[in-house]
């Protein structure tokens, strides 16, 4: 059985890392349940020893299996509310202000999930008082930003978000980013929700300084959809299924190749729309999904 620490295997999903471990570990708890009609897998990394083996920080990882975002089928309202409730489970009980951060490069389609999701987030921090005066007392305060990437700004994403956290004092940060999977089947059909934070760019081998409660001083909920598979991981998996072993797959210059589905444009468009609805519903539970769609459309 392959191990996630081997160079030939690459995944951002804790569920896949646990599968690759191939054995029980006292520091890892896992279970499966349903939320509404959705299948949900829960992985809890409880000890530092387990975190080192999985290469995942200690914390809770929720993996939701969905209909492929690349298909014509869309999530219905009950499924959106189910995902929203999973996000809500991780939000602080006292949550006067949430900062939503869309990580990634909008100009690179497989990496554009975060910015495109943020563009559809219902931001209210600037209008909460006026809306309360109009009778919407239960409207939650939300701010959002898509900070770009280091190559565009010359500033580490963590530096930007840390400055914002110090300035506006949110009770938590929700970070959205594209992820890498070891399986083509999970691309565009899985959502991972975690309370461990995230390292921007990790899905495309461009790992930057992490966004976490340790670095920002407030809880960080990360939400991601796998959009790429490392070619080396993909090739190794194919060879393993055929009973062979293979050498790493890489460009002659040493850069790693990433593989993404041909319908990635549709996947990103639909995934960002669905994630935005789920996040908006989690943050604004008193609004109906139709009202959220109208306000963000």
């Amino acid at each position: 059985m392959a191990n996630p620490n081997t160079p030939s295997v690459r995944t951002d999903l804790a569920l896949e890392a646990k599968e690759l471990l191939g054995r029980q570990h006292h520091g890892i708890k896992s279970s499966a349940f349903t939320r509404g009609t959705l299948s949900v897998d829960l992985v809890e990394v409880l000890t530092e020893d387990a975190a080192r083996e999985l290469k995942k920080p200690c914390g809770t990882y929720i993996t939701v299996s969905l209909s492929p975002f690349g298909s014509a089928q869309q999530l219905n309202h009950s499924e959106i509310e189910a995902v929203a409730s999973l996000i809500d489970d991780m939000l602080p009980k006292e949550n006067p202000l949430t900062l939503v951060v869309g990580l990634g490069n909008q100009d690179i389609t497989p990496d554009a999930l975060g910015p495109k999701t943020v563009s559809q987030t219902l931001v209210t921090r600037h209008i909460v008082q006026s809306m309360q005066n109009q009778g919407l007392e239960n409207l939650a305060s939300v701010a959002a930003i898509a900070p770009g990437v280091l190559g565009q700004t010359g500033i580490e994403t963590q530096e930007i978000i840390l400055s914002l956290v110090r300035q506006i004092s949110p009770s938590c940060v929700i970070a959205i980013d594209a992820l890498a999977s070891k399986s083509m089947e999970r691309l565009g059909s899985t959502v991972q929700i975690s309370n461990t934070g995230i390292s921007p760019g990790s899905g495309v081998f461009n790992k930057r300084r992490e966004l976490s409660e340790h670095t920002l001083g407030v809880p960080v909920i990360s939400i991601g959809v796998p959009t790429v598979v490392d070619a080396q991981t993909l090739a190794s998996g194919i060879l393993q299924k055929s009973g062979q072993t293979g050498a790493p797959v890489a460009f002659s210059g040493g850069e790693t190749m990433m593989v993404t589905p041909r319908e990635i444009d549709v996947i990103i468009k639909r995934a960002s729309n669905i994630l935005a609805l789920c996040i908006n519903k989690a943050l604004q539970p008193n609004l109906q999904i139709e009202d959220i769609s109208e306000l963000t459309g």
Side-chain angles (χ1 to χ4, degrees), residues 233-253:
T233 298
L234 181 63
S236 298
I238 293 171
L239 290 170
Q240 280 184 357
K241 287 180 181 179
S242 63
Q244 304 177 54
T245 57
V249 178
F251 288 121
S252 59

Side-chain angles (χ1 to χ4, degrees), residues 156-167:
E156 285 277 2
T157 299
Q158 187 215 63
E159 294 174 332
I160 296 173
I161 304 308
L162 180 58
S163 298
L164 274 175
V165 167
R166 288 172 173 170
Q167 182 66 34

Side-chain angles (χ1 to χ4, degrees), residues 130-149:
S130 62
M131 295 299 283
Q132 288 177 346
N133 294 338
Q134 297 177 40
L136 292 175
E137 293 85 0
N138 295 320
L139 193 67
S141 182
V142 179
I145 185 173
V149 295

